[in-house]
Amino acid sequence: MEKKILTVDDEKDILNVLEYNLGKAGFKVISADDGTKALAIAKKEIPDLIILDIMLPGMEGTEVLKAIKKDKLTEKIPVIMLTARGEEIDRVLGFELGADDYVVKPFSPKELSLRVNALLKTRHHEKDAANNKISFGGLLIDVNRFAAYVGKENIGLTATEFRLLVELARSKGRVLSRDYLVRTVCRADSHLSFRNIDTHVRMLRAKLERWSPCVETVRGLGYRFNKDIFNRKKH
């Protein structure tokens, strides 16, 4: 999927250079020439990355950055700051406010494209790693470590129990039929049947202890994951 870049600068020539070079590198480019417009576009479009000039009319780039990082919709968007000054105080302030990188004008368009690619690649890996940890209140499922924890205790799931828990937790409350679970979770064990699935669910619930109600039986259909259980049992 084409990555979306928001470029923010009050100089039209700079915006044209960025649009041309980033477009040539395969990105979809959206532009804004002031901070207020930039914030509105960022919230509406949720770009994959923002290139933000510090010196902007009305609302300075540092204020735009601060607003971006305070908003839940935009706080995770990586930001590269642009400045004509390059003074250390500007760089320090930018990093303190949450900037991910810093480029001083005049800049090489090719170098900037490389920095954009590197930052997007880093964020992609970070997102993948984060996606491999599933957390609901007192339950943590670490997919990379093939382990599930209640509190700080590894509850020692078997391979089938673990795959079952992950599939349910990622299902976002959808009902998963026994047939589906046999074909996906237990595909390596061709001898498993609907009854075997019920047995694995029962054993999984026993190990989940107080969180066992999160694995719900939907009579005649299958099973689903109820994350609301964790909100009810806070203590």
Side-chain angles (χ1 to χ4, degrees):
M1 185 182 291
E2 192 178 39
K3 296 290 186 181
K4 193 185 301 181
I5 310 294
L6 170 60
T7 60
V8 189
D9 200 296
D10 63 329
E11 296 182 48
K12 185 65 176 175
D13 289 344
I14 295 291
L15 290 178
N16 289 338
V17 168
L18 290 171
E19 184 173 359
Y20 174 78
N21 285 278
L22 292 171
K24 194 175 178 181
F27 299 107
K28 179 181 179 181
V29 183
I30 311 166
S31 299
D33 57 10
D34 67 54
T36 304
K37 290 179 186 176
L39 280 177
I41 292 172
K43 292 177 183 180
K44 181 181 178 182
E45 298 289 340
I46 313 297
D48 295 284
L49 184 142
I50 298 172
I51 298 174
L52 177 63
D53 188 28
I54 280 189
M55 299 298 291
L56 292 171
M59 189 179 194
E60 286 200 353
T62 50
E63 292 302 311
V64 176
L65 176 61
K66 192 185 299 183
I68 287 169
K69 294 302 178 180
K70 281 186 176 180
D71 194 306
K72 291 292 183 182
L73 285 173
T74 56
E75 64 179 355
K76 300 296 184 184
I77 301 172
V79 178
I80 297 177
M81 300 295 292
L82 290 179
T83 181
R85 290 180 290 182
E87 296 177 6
E88 184 179 4
I89 186 64
D90 295 328
R91 293 195 298 273
V92 170
L93 178 59
F95 286 133
E96 285 179 345
L97 293 176
D100 297 88
D101 202 353
Y102 210 97
V103 174
V104 179
K105 298 177 184 178
F107 57 85
S108 159
K110 184 176 181 180
E111 179 188 352
L112 181 57
S113 292
L114 289 172
R115 290 198 186 201
V116 167
N117 274 311
L119 190 49
L120 287 174
K121 187 174 181 180
T122 298
R123 284 303 173 95
H124 176 73
H125 291 322
E126 289 175 352
K127 187 177 179 181
D128 282 349
N131 286 342
N132 278 328
K133 283 189 177 179
I134 307 167
S135 179
F136 295 98
L139 174 65
L140 172 66
I141 308 166
D142 191 329
V143 178
N144 289 335
R145 294 178 179 271
F146 213 79
Y149 302 84
V150 170
K152 295 182 179 180
E153 181 184 355
N154 186 333
I155 58 177
L157 300 181
T158 66
T160 300
E161 291 162 1
F162 184 80
R163 290 195 299 267
L164 179 61
L165 179 59
V166 170
E167 193 69 31
L168 286 165
R170 284 178 169 170
S171 68
K172 297 181 179 179
R174 297 191 308 274
V175 178
L176 304 182
S177 69
R178 290 174 174 83
D179 180 62
Y180 173 85
L181 293 171
V182 167
R183 287 185 287 106
T184 56
V185 173
C186 305
R187 59 188 178 276
D189 301 316
S190 57
H191 65 282
L192 288 177
S193 65
F194 289 177
R195 185 171 296 179
N196 294 129
I197 284 289
D198 293 340
T199 300
H200 285 294
V201 167
R202 187 165 60 251
M203 295 172 68
L204 171 61
R205 283 172 171 158
K207 292 178 180 179
L208 286 171
E209 298 177 345
R210 68 182 184 277
W211 301 123
S212 62
C214 72
V215 180
E216 288 187 336
T217 301
V218 180
R219 191 174 296 277
L221 294 176
Y223 297 98
R224 70 179 167 203
F225 191 89
N226 183 1
K227 66 179 182 180
D228 293 336
I229 292 295
F230 300 93
N231 296 326
R232 295 178 206 157
K233 296 205 171 197
K234 285 182 179 179
H235 55 270

